[in-house]
Amino acid sequence: MAILPSSFLSQSRTTAPDEETLNKPRRTLAATGINHALHDGYTDLIYVLLPVWQAEFALGYGLLAVMRGLYSGAMAGLQIPVGRLAERIDGKTLLALGTMLAALGYVLAGLSGSVAGLSLALLISGAGSSTQHPLASAAVSRAYGKAARGPLGIYNFSGDLGKATLPALMAMLLVIMSWRHALLLVALVGLLVALCLALLMPAVGKGFAHKSTVTTQGAQAGRGGFSWLLAIGILDSAVRMGFLTFLPFLLRDKGASLPTSGVALAMLFIGGAAGKFACGWLGARAGTIRTVLLTEGGAAALIVAVLALPLVPAIIVLPLLGVMLNGTSSVLYGTVPELTSPHRTERAFALFYTGTIGSGAIAPVLYGLLGDALGPTLATAATAVTALAICPLALLLAPHLSDGRRA
């Protein structure tokens, strides 16, 4: 029997793909997806609790808005510092600690007996959630490398699953137990997710561990390209949140009842979740620029259609409009790593998410003032104009992207 040389056996062992190596990206995507669902669910379950807190603490609408803003403000404001910290501490560690802090914030909320204590608890929980978007996005990006756009779309989609499940779970729990016990139960879920991240998620690495040689010319091009990408993300978020501000009033003016408006909004959100999933893969195949032009142009046309159509046809087009409104975000997130050097990926994602989340908070106020001055129809039409304004920005971004230069 022939004996194979030891060198051949050694080579076969080193060249055959290792099962662990193949599974690491999938484990990273699964862990960050579950974490994303948890944190987005944590963010939106507050809406279910606001009426409960209003009744128990006799709060006005203004103070309720402030309490909601404490969570989102801490989450948005700390993302850039977290991105910088990830350049020195492994992202996996920060993700697990942030998830644990978000859960502990809800533990404190469940134990609190005053508005001050509840506000502090929301601030702590929001601070914990600040780790999620920039670090998890960077982890998926590094795990999949150049093929990250599709997985980032899946990661982005997972947040919508959390928005759909955790607030609904909280609403059901409030039927059978007090809000304090319900929060403690939801916090326990968060602690379990943090433990799973610590034990099962592959290491991400520190930002400086992924440094690469970048020429001065390339670095300048990356900064310029990222600025255009950030501007597109800010306007895209403004279009989405501005349209959502006026949609219930448009439906009411067309004769929709409250249940009909609820169904219409659900159809829009279902389309939005599908858009996040589908457009991430579309961007990987058709390219960022073509996909952005398609989604923003389609969003503008469908917004005008909703304004012009009677109630039933307008509701029918809402799922497709949801695809267009939400689909762009997956493509933009997937493009962030292409425009930044590897050791600054977390910082770039932190800046991008801060800009888009901040835009989502400010845009309804600005469009609301426009609605007071011109009426909801013209203010909604302004969101379509904003969507069209993104198209020339996409063309300015094109020279900085590989698929844009080929287009």
Side-chain angles (χ1 to χ4, degrees), residues 10-405:
S10 175
Q11 183 180 8
S12 64
R13 284 195 298 265
T14 57
T15 57
D18 183 279
E19 180 92 20
E20 179 71 12
T21 301
L22 292 174
N23 284 334
K24 277 185 178 181
R26 297 172 187 171
R27 285 169 51 199
T28 298
L29 181 58
T32 54
I34 293 171
N35 196 46
H36 193 188
L38 173 79
H39 283 275
D40 275 20
Y42 270 9
T43 302
D44 279 14
L45 66 81
I46 295 176
Y47 292 117
V48 179
L49 291 167
L50 288 179
V52 179
W53 293 337
Q54 183 185 45
E56 178 159 339
F57 296 107
L59 303 175
Y61 291 109
L63 189 53
L64 286 172
V66 170
M67 292 176 66
R68 174 67 182 85
L70 288 173
Y71 187 102
S72 57
M75 179 177 67
L78 292 176
Q79 287 183 115
I80 292 177
V82 164
R84 293 178 180 271
L85 188 61
E87 295 174 355
R88 292 168 173 80
I89 301 175
D90 189 283
K92 168 189 171 179
T93 302
L94 290 177
L95 270 176
L97 290 175
T99 301
M100 182 175 67
L101 185 62
L104 289 176
Y106 275 134
V107 170
L108 293 176
L111 298 175
S112 64
S114 66
V115 174
L118 184 58
S119 299
L120 178 61
L122 291 175
L123 197 64
I124 292 172
S125 191
S129 286
S130 68
T131 62
Q132 198 280 129
H133 284 116
L135 302 187
S137 298
V140 174
S141 172
R142 287 191 173 138
Y144 284 89
K146 294 181 179 180
R149 287 187 181 181
L152 280 170
I154 296 176
Y155 159 77
N156 201 17
F157 168 74
S158 67
D160 289 82
L161 297 179
K163 292 177 182 179
T165 54
L166 268 184
L169 174 63
M170 176 59 66
M172 289 188 290
L173 290 175
L174 291 176
V175 176
I176 59 176
M177 63 180 69
S178 71
W179 68 268
R180 299 177 187 279
H181 290 109
L183 271 184
L184 292 175
L185 189 59
V186 169
L188 177 61
V189 175
L191 292 174
L192 292 175
V193 171
L195 181 62
C196 289
L197 285 174
L199 295 178
L200 303 177
M201 181 177 171
V204 177
K206 294 177 284 187
F208 284 121
H210 296 268
K211 282 185 178 180
S212 60
T213 304
V214 181
T215 64
T216 303
Q217 181 180 1
Q220 290 173 348
R223 285 196 293 270
F226 182 78
S227 298
W228 293 123
L229 186 73
L230 179 59
I232 292 171
I234 289 172
L235 291 180
D236 176 65
S237 181
V239 171
R240 183 165 54 254
M241 300 310 295
F243 178 77
L244 285 171
T245 299
F246 294 110
L247 180 59
F249 302 101
L250 296 174
L251 294 171
R252 181 199 63 188
D253 292 344
K254 292 177 185 290
S257 63
L258 285 177
T260 301
S261 295
V263 171
L265 286 168
M267 292 175 67
L268 182 76
F269 293 142
I270 290 171
K276 285 186 175 182
F277 180 81
C279 288
W281 291 106
L282 179 62
R285 286 155 176 77
T288 298
I289 304 305
R290 293 187 182 93
T291 307
V292 169
L293 292 175
L294 172 65
T295 54
E296 297 299 342
L302 290 171
I303 288 172
V304 173
V306 169
L307 289 173
L309 291 171
L311 177 62
V312 173
I315 292 176
I316 291 174
V317 303
L318 283 178
L320 182 57
L321 177 56
V323 171
M324 299 299 172
L325 286 174
N326 272 24
T328 308
S329 62
S330 288
V331 185
L332 299 179
Y333 298 146
T335 307
V336 169
E338 185 175 344
L339 297 174
T340 54
S341 52
H343 68 289
R344 292 183 179 270
T345 304
E346 288 88 354
R347 189 181 300 189
F349 272 116
L351 180 59
F352 189 83
Y353 276 108
T354 300
T356 55
I357 292 173
S359 173
I362 296 171
V365 178
L366 299 180
Y367 282 116
L369 294 174
L370 191 62
D372 289 336
L374 303 177
T377 299
L378 290 178
T380 304
T383 65
V385 173
T386 305
L388 290 176
I390 292 174
C391 294
L393 295 181
L395 297 177
L396 291 172
L397 174 64
H400 301 278
L401 299 175
S402 57
D403 64 77
R405 289 189 291 267

